[in-house]
Amino acid sequence: PRLLSQFFFADERVTRVVAEINGLDAELDPQQYLVLLNQLHLSQAHLLAILERIMEECIPTQRHSRDYLVKFPEELLVDNLGNHMLFAAECLLAGTFLEVEEAEGTQLRPQARNLLCSLELVRTVLREQSLSQPSSYPEPIRALLVQFDRLFAEFELSYVSSLVAVKSPEEIYRQQEIIVLFCETVQRALRLGYLTQEMIDGYEPLLMFTIPRLAIISGLLIYPEGPLSLEQSPEQMSRVFSPFYNLLKKIRDLLRVLTVEELYMLERSLCTAE
């Protein structure tokens, strides 16, 4: 049950698979090479998962901030992101640029080298510790873990930033404004009887259409200074709505001529129309 013991056997597995790959002629047996490569990825992912648990146990208050993850596109936020970063670092160090341009890859190589050297050092000291005192983490080990955690986070941010356009702080703030708008829209819809709490608690599928429709009306009429404010330029709006800037202006102009009763009827109809 001890994490250092688990780490020892996971590390042994990685070392064994690497040795098998190094002793294999990939050209003579490409199928076996792919099998071993898959085993390596799985064993490395298991090793990193245990190392993550060790850091949570050993240096919980000294972990490097991962707030930058909110800048990443959602499709990148997968369980094996850490393992992918490790594979990317290994490729960069070997001079292989699979996902990035050569110029960017060359700039990232020092970070990749520092990360992999730090990982090797951490593996060495944790193996030794697991064989001597598997229930304690001396201060030198804690310091190495803090350093590895920082280098990993810095490489992850730099590498992903070279692949995709990460969200700016302004865009993140705009998205938070949209979340607030949707929450206020739901509260208003409940108060006016457009929706019921039972529909929300039951995840009524119609809400996927109803709430965004009502949010557009709320954003244009009820909260005109919010994220749908048309007093700002399209570039200042969230990318969710900026492509529809001109259409939103037309909708706002049409809404402004409606009476209170007509607006109520419109919103009621939006809650039922498919």
Side-chain angles (χ1 to χ4, degrees):
R2 291 176 294 196
L3 287 177
L4 279 177
S5 299
Q6 295 178 34
F7 182 88
F8 176 83
F9 289 107
D11 187 77
E12 284 283 290
R13 175 62 176 164
V14 171
T15 302
R16 185 166 61 250
V17 175
V18 170
E20 291 183 41
I21 291 176
N22 291 336
L24 180 72
D25 190 328
E27 294 184 357
L28 294 179
D29 197 347
Q31 185 173 359
Q32 179 62 15
Y33 176 76
L34 292 177
V35 170
L36 289 175
L37 194 62
N38 183 60
Q39 290 180 5
L40 177 61
H41 290 163
L42 293 175
S43 59
Q44 284 181 330
H46 182 53
L47 182 71
L48 286 178
I50 296 176
L51 183 55
E52 176 70 21
R53 291 169 59 194
I54 289 175
M55 290 190 290
E56 282 298 311
E57 178 181 279
C58 182
I59 53 169
T61 61
Q62 297 172 279
R63 298 294 305 273
H64 193 83
S65 173
R66 295 304 198 277
D67 289 347
Y68 59 82
L69 289 175
V70 301
K71 300 181 179 181
F72 291 180
E74 291 185 5
E75 60 269 19
L76 291 183
L77 300 178
V78 292
D79 291 338
N80 63 345
L81 179 60
N83 199 38
H84 184 79
M85 290 299 103
L86 181 58
F87 178 69
E90 292 170 340
C91 289
L92 288 173
L93 197 59
T96 304
F97 309 105
L98 296 179
E99 299 176 308
V100 297
E101 298 294 332
E102 184 173 350
E104 293 178 326
T106 301
Q107 292 181 341
L108 287 168
R109 284 187 72 182
Q111 281 185 285
R113 181 182 297 106
N114 291 338
L115 171 61
L116 294 177
C117 288
S118 177
L119 176 59
E120 283 303 308
L121 187 56
V122 165
R123 288 176 63 185
T124 299
V125 298
L126 288 182
R127 278 199 305 267
E128 294 173 352
Q129 187 68 17
S130 68
L131 294 173
S132 58
Q133 293 178 301
S135 299
S136 64
Y137 302 97
E139 183 56 37
I141 290 182
R142 295 173 184 268
L144 287 175
L145 289 172
V146 170
Q147 180 187 50
F148 169 74
D149 189 45
R150 175 181 60 81
L151 291 173
F152 201 106
E154 290 175 351
F155 176 77
E156 185 174 58
L157 176 57
S158 298
Y159 188 81
V160 173
S161 297
S162 70
L163 293 180
V164 297
V166 298
K167 301 172 186 175
S168 66
E170 292 77 19
E171 178 63 20
I172 294 173
Y173 179 75
R174 295 185 191 115
Q175 291 187 351
Q176 291 173 337
E177 283 191 316
I178 293 173
I179 294 173
V180 172
L181 172 62
F182 272 55
C183 291
E184 291 177 337
T185 296
V186 170
Q187 292 177 352
R188 177 174 175 270
L190 288 171
R191 187 171 65 253
L192 295 177
Y194 297 151
L195 308 176
T196 65
Q197 190 62 48
E198 288 73 20
M199 295 172 64
I200 296 174
D201 294 340
Y203 299 102
E204 174 62 44
L206 185 60
L207 297 180
M208 295 177 61
F209 303 97
T210 298
I211 294 176
R213 291 168 176 172
L214 294 177
I216 290 175
I217 294 179
S218 296
L220 294 174
L221 290 185
I222 312 301
Y223 311 108
E225 297 180 358
L228 283 183
S229 172
L230 298 178
E231 301 304 318
Q232 57 188 339
S233 65
E235 293 75 20
Q236 294 174 306
M237 297 181 71
S238 168
R239 286 178 289 182
V240 175
F241 293 112
S242 58
F244 311 103
Y245 185 82
N246 291 330
L247 177 60
L248 289 171
K249 290 184 69 173
K250 294 179 181 179
I251 294 175
R252 182 195 60 182
D253 294 341
L254 290 173
L255 292 174
R256 283 177 170 176
V257 302
L258 298 179
T259 64
V260 175
E261 291 77 12
E262 290 171 334
L263 179 62
Y264 175 79
M265 292 177 61
L266 172 63
E267 291 184 307
R268 290 291 299 182
S269 67
L270 292 178
C271 295
T272 56
E274 297 183 359

